[in-house]
Amino acid sequence: MGSEAVIEVKGLDVMRSGMLVIQNANFEIDRGDYVGVVGPNGGGKTTLLLAMLGMIPRHRGMVRIFGQELERFSDWGKIAYVSQDAINFDSDFPLSVRELVSLGRLSPRNVGRPLRRADWSRVDGALEFMGISELAGKRIGELSGGQKQRMFVAMALVRDPEVIILDEPVAGIDAVTQEKFYQKMSDLNQKKGITILMVSHDLTAVFCRMSKLICVNREVNVAEITPETDPNEILRKAYGEHFHFVFHRHECKGEFKND
Amino acid sequence: MISPEFSIIDLLGYQFFQYALIGGSLAAFACGWIGLFLVLRRESMLVDGVAHTAFGGIALGIFLGIDPILSALAVSVLAVLGIGYMRGRGLAQSDSATAVMLALGFSTGLIVISLAGGFSVDLFAYLFGSILTISQQDLVLVSALGVVVLAFLTLFYKEILAITFDAESAKMMGLPVRTISLIFNLIVAVTIILSIRVIGIILVVALIVLPALAALQLRLSFRRTVVSTVLIGMMSTILGVLVSAYYNVATSGVIVFTMVAVYLVVAVYVRLG
């Protein structure tokens, strides 16, 4: 695993509606990391992601992406972000799954030019990788929640990103579909070397599958996840002293990434 | 109804009728495609606002003795820029900014008419359309504007689609969202102007919105929805022109009735089928 920092956050404060939502965040995401972002609802997880991506203003602090200060960074093709609200689109919007995923191939380099055969091959490849090839011609409004999430990840994948950031991608999805989704993300991380940052409330999945943990509840605490990591020690910093997470490593079925 | 010795076939032999069908089809093609995006962006009323603003431009053109279509184009472009400025600077929400421009443009027209000393008959042709009096010069202008609209949509439709679906994500992907949105709004102004001779200022919103609404009922992919929208718009316009000529009634009104009928038939068919 390389140690090149793809995202660096230093002394980051973020205010929203006059309230300090993120206080003095300091962490690095390295190339190849599989990072879980956890914390209570309203703790600032989404705010942290949005500020990191420059989608909301920072009050103080510095963010670097691929070594460049956020304000100067322009190579957004390297980063794909799937927001929490992505699946809440207008279900009557007239797009097939294949058409929507193809929009992921758009970039400043091909504005005003039609997509090429190679672009469509990437689209079909991404649909296949996410296991939704049979849905290619289906309208996006007819998909289930899990299928929509896989579609948006496919849309992110066709951009050939080096980093994928997902905000609660499995919220409201049944356990079996969640498990398949996590498996796909593990494959992306391990087989394709894509750095993944994922907001999740599924602490078991985070401790079984991921390599790093970012705990957010205004304060931001970061820990490497290894078989020796005591989940409660880090989680209590975000969820409070009385929080107790019952975690059995054997439930991971050998999924520890850092084993 | 036309006299029995004339048939639709006879009418097709007349140049004015050919111009009407060609001009109407071109306008319907451009309106349908741009209208689909406007409906999906929930900005249908932008059409009404810009069209009413064009009224001021047309009155100015007639008053100053310049081509009213060109003066209407200039005023509509200013209106679109004005709406964009008001939105961008936080001076007003989209619908409020449109309402301000609509009122300002229409008031300009009224003042100019009163300065001219009365209501010009020519103005009726622009308010309610006058497709059967389209001249060769009009047709050249409509065709030129149509080519501009179609070229823009052909080149940038996928970017407009991405922005329409999710502008924030499109921005994140590095697409020039502000520039494309601005050009799109200017193209909306151009489309409205090229349709004024066909259907008139008051009803142009129907030519832009109704074909898209009908096609969206079919629940197709985007590509097929575009094709359906354009076909519904063109066929309704041609049918409207033929029916209005046969019964000798206002063409723009018949075109709108045809489109509403198609919309209702499609809606009922989809729900029962």
Side-chain angles (χ1 to χ4, degrees):
Chain A
M1 193 71 59
S3 59
E4 179 198 346
V6 293
I7 298 174
E8 297 165 74
V9 173
K10 282 185 184 159
L12 176 68
D13 286 356
V14 185
M15 309 267 290
R16 293 195 99 170
S17 307
M19 302 266 290
L20 191 61
V21 181
I22 296 294
Q23 184 177 12
N24 195 27
N26 291 283
F27 60 88
E28 285 185 7
I29 311 287
D30 294 329
R31 188 178 291 278
D33 274 350
Y34 188 4
V35 185
V37 182
V38 303
N41 288 331
K45 301 182 293 295
T46 299
T47 299
L48 176 65
L49 298 189
L50 295 177
M52 234 167 61
L53 295 169
M55 294 166 85
I56 56 171
R58 307 190 303 274
H59 181 61
R60 194 178 68 85
M62 187 271 293
V63 176
R64 279 177 183 272
I65 300 182
F66 290 101
Q68 277 189 307
E69 285 195 24
L70 182 60
E71 287 70 21
R72 292 193 188 143
F73 182 73
S74 59
D75 197 358
W76 289 104
K78 287 182 172 177
I79 297 183
Y81 170 61
V82 180
S83 88
Q84 196 176 0
D85 296 325
I87 64 168
N88 299 325
F89 53 80
D90 173 7
S91 60
D92 289 328
F93 204 95
L95 271 175
S96 69
V97 171
R98 192 167 184 258
E99 284 174 331
L100 177 78
V101 173
S102 77
L103 295 182
R105 290 297 290 171
L106 302 189
S107 76
R109 286 185 294 278
N110 65 0
V111 170
R113 278 184 287 178
L115 294 181
R116 296 175 181 170
R117 192 172 293 179
D119 294 312
W120 289 104
S121 296
R122 303 306 279 268
V123 170
D124 294 332
L127 290 173
E128 196 178 335
F129 182 81
M130 292 309 295
I132 51 173
S133 292
E134 74 283 2
L135 303 175
K138 209 167 182 181
R139 272 174 65 107
I140 57 173
E142 294 168 1
L143 304 186
S144 68
Q147 289 169 334
K148 284 176 186 169
Q149 283 298 355
R150 282 190 279 167
M151 171 180 74
F152 280 109
V153 175
M155 187 182 176
L157 281 180
V158 296
R159 300 178 61 201
D160 295 329
E162 293 179 31
V163 180
I164 294 183
I165 299 174
L166 304 152
D167 193 351
E168 293 201 39
V170 292
I173 295 173
D174 67 84
V176 175
T177 310
Q178 278 190 25
E179 180 53 31
K180 283 182 187 168
F181 187 84
Y182 283 124
Q183 186 57 53
K184 282 290 176 196
M185 292 303 102
S186 294
D187 288 349
L188 274 180
N189 177 248
Q190 287 165 24
K191 293 178 186 168
K192 300 200 174 193
I194 295 176
T195 306
I196 297 176
L197 194 74
M198 186 192 298
V199 173
S200 178
H201 287 291
D202 185 344
L203 298 174
T204 302
V206 169
F207 278 91
C208 284
R209 294 185 176 280
M210 303 187 192
S211 60
K212 194 179 268 184
L213 178 74
I214 297 180
C215 242
V216 186
N217 191 6
R218 193 165 79 173
E219 287 183 9
V220 177
N221 293 286
V222 182
E224 299 287 331
I225 299 175
T226 66
E228 288 73 43
T229 303
D230 174 7
N232 285 305
E233 189 184 329
I234 178 89
L235 291 174
R236 281 177 185 151
K237 291 179 183 172
Y239 290 92
E241 280 306 312
H242 300 294
F243 182 82
H244 185 68
F245 171 50
V246 180
F247 176 62
H248 303 292
R249 285 188 180 133
H250 62 84
E251 288 175 0
C252 292
K253 298 169 191 163
E255 303 273 16
F256 266 110
K257 191 168 178 300
N258 290 353
D259 270 351
Chain B
M1 193 181 295
I2 56 174
S3 52
E5 61 266 26
F6 282 100
S7 68
I8 293 292
I9 303 296
D10 293 326
L11 276 174
L12 289 173
Y14 286 100
Q15 199 175 45
F16 80 91
F17 205 72
Q18 292 165 0
Y19 285 174
L21 290 177
I22 296 169
S25 303
L26 264 173
F29 194 111
C31 284
W33 202 350
I34 210 107
L36 178 59
F37 283 118
L38 282 168
V39 169
L40 292 172
R41 292 159 76 110
R42 300 173 200 275
E43 288 184 348
S44 304
M45 291 320 290
L46 179 68
V47 179
D48 226 18
V50 175
H52 282 73
T53 308
F55 172 76
I58 285 165
L60 266 175
I62 294 172
F63 183 67
L64 298 173
I66 55 175
D67 189 333
I69 291 287
L70 292 178
S71 56
L73 182 61
V75 171
S76 300
V77 165
L78 285 176
V80 163
L81 294 175
I83 291 168
Y85 182 83
M86 288 173 77
R87 279 196 305 205
R89 296 279 166 176
L91 296 170
Q93 295 289 324
S94 182
D95 57 342
S96 310
T98 304
V100 169
M101 285 299 159
L102 182 154
L104 191 63
F106 216 78
S107 306
T108 305
L110 289 176
I111 290 170
V112 170
I113 289 164
S114 65
L115 285 175
F119 200 82
S120 167
V121 175
D122 282 338
L123 219 45
F124 270 110
Y126 295 102
L127 276 175
F128 304 110
S130 178
I131 194 170
L132 297 176
T133 62
I134 287 181
S135 65
Q136 194 174 20
Q137 190 188 340
D138 289 334
L139 196 60
V140 169
L141 190 59
V142 167
S143 304
L145 294 178
V147 167
V148 171
V149 173
L150 296 183
F152 173 76
L153 289 177
T154 305
L155 288 174
F156 298 106
Y157 90 90
K158 56 185 183 8
E159 285 80 13
I160 304 169
L161 180 58
I163 294 167
T164 302
F165 184 73
D166 184 352
E168 276 301 315
S169 296
K171 212 180 285 179
M172 171 95 195
M173 286 157 70
L175 298 180
V177 173
R178 283 186 67 175
T179 307
I180 289 180
S181 297
L182 175 67
I183 300 172
F184 176 80
N185 285 345
L186 292 175
I187 291 291
V188 170
V190 171
T191 308
I192 291 166
I193 300 306
L194 74 81
S195 313
I196 283 177
R197 289 289 275 146
V198 175
I199 199 161
I201 287 166
I202 308 291
L203 295 176
V204 67
V205 68
L207 195 62
I208 290 185
V209 171
L210 281 169
L213 282 183
L216 284 169
Q217 302 289 317
L218 296 168
R219 307 186 69 77
L220 302 168
S221 66
F222 184 74
R223 188 181 288 260
R224 288 180 177 177
T225 305
V226 169
V227 173
S228 307
T229 302
V230 166
L231 285 179
I232 289 170
M234 290 174 76
M235 286 164 64
S236 303
T237 303
I238 290 170
L239 191 63
V241 172
L242 295 175
V243 171
S244 70
Y246 191 76
Y247 287 103
N248 195 23
V249 287
T251 312
S252 53
V254 178
I255 291 174
V256 173
F257 260 84
T258 311
M259 285 180 175
V260 171
V262 170
Y263 168 65
L264 291 175
V265 167
V266 172
V268 170
Y269 173 78
V270 167
R271 276 155 186 77
L272 294 180

